[in-house]
Amino acid sequence: MTLAQAPHGFLSPTGVEIAFVLVGLVTFGAALVTVTTKQLVHAALWLVVALGGLAVEYLLLTAEFIAWVQVLIYVGSVVVLLLFGLMLTRAPIGRSPDADSGNRWAALTVAVAAAAALVWVVVDAFRATWIDLDGPAAGSTEVTGASLFQNWVLPFEALSVLLLAALVGAIVLSRKAKAESSSPPVNSRVTGKSSPSVPDARKNPAEQEGAC
C-alpha cells in the first residue's frame, strides 16, 4: 500500500504538512502586517514576504509552475513596480496618516467574512482529497500546460482579451489626461491676446500725449 492509499489524519501529519502549516502561519502574519502598518515602504516589503510564502506553499504542493509564476510576476514585477511608484511619487517613508482609514472595523468584518466563506468552500470541496507528494509532480510545467491548453483554452484567451482591453483603456485615459493638463485654460488664452493700451489716468496730460 502506497503513501497515497494509506489512511491520513490530522493527528499523524507528515514533515511536508508541518512545513506547510508553519509557512502558512508566516505568510498570514506577513499579510496581516501588510494591511495594518502605516508605513508604505514597510507594507511593500512585507508584501514581498507574503507573496514569497505563497510561492513556497505552491512548491510544497508540487505546483512548481505556479510557484515560479508567483515569484516572477508578483514578487519580481508587481512589488518592484509598487516600490518604483513610491519612489517616483515621493511618497513619505515614515508613518503616513493617509494610510489610515476610519472604516477599519467595516473592512475587518468584510475580510473575516470573506476568509470564512473561502475556507468553508475549499474545505467542503476538497475534504477527502489528498495529494501524493511522493509521486510525480501534479503541478509541473508539462501537466499545467497540457491542462491549460486542452481544457481551459477558451477562458485563457478570454482573459488575454480582457487584459489587452484594460491596457488599451489605461493608455487612452493617460493620453487624455495628459492632453487636458497641457492645454492652457480659457482665461489665460483670452488675457494672452494683445489688447490696446489704455492710458493711465494718474499720469500727467503731457506724459499721456507723449505716450500716444
Side-chain angles (χ1 to χ4, degrees):
M1 183 166 46
T2 62
L3 181 62
Q5 297 174 349
H8 293 273
F10 292 102
L11 298 180
S12 58
T14 62
V16 177
E17 293 172 347
I18 295 175
F20 183 86
V21 173
L22 294 178
V23 175
L25 292 176
V26 174
T27 305
F28 177 76
L32 191 62
V33 175
T34 301
V35 298
T36 54
T37 182
K38 294 183 180 180
Q39 299 186 6
L40 298 179
V41 177
H42 289 182
L45 296 178
W46 279 109
L47 182 61
V48 174
V49 178
L51 296 177
L54 286 178
V56 175
E57 298 283 59
Y58 288 135
L59 282 177
L60 293 176
L61 292 175
T62 68
E64 57 183 32
F65 177 76
I66 306 299
W68 293 120
V69 167
Q70 176 83 11
V71 172
L72 293 176
I73 295 180
Y74 288 97
V75 179
S77 299
V78 175
V79 177
V80 173
L81 179 62
L82 179 60
L83 291 175
F84 269 99
L86 292 176
M87 290 186 293
L88 293 177
T89 55
R90 296 181 180 179
I93 302 299
R95 297 174 64 89
S96 176
D98 297 334
D100 196 4
S101 176
N103 300 325
R104 61 176 60 186
W105 291 110
L108 179 62
T109 303
V110 174
V112 171
L118 181 61
V119 169
W120 180 81
V121 169
V122 171
V123 171
D124 185 69
F126 301 99
R127 186 184 302 274
T129 303
W130 297 91
I131 299 176
D132 186 10
L133 300 178
D134 294 333
S140 61
T141 305
E142 180 181 0
V143 175
T144 304
S147 176
L148 182 62
F149 291 102
Q150 288 180 0
N151 304 324
W152 302 95
V153 60
L154 184 60
F156 180 78
E157 294 299 331
L159 181 61
S160 303
V161 174
L162 179 62
L163 294 176
L164 178 61
L167 179 61
V168 173
I171 295 175
V172 171
L173 292 177
S174 62
R175 291 178 61 89
K176 182 178 179 181
K178 183 178 179 181
E180 291 178 354
S181 61
S182 61
S183 61
V186 179
N187 295 333
S188 62
R189 288 186 300 215
V190 172
T191 56
K193 295 180 180 179
S194 60
S195 57
S197 59
V198 180
D200 192 355
R202 294 176 296 180
K203 293 183 179 180
N204 295 329
E207 295 176 356
Q208 293 180 5
E209 292 178 359
C212 296

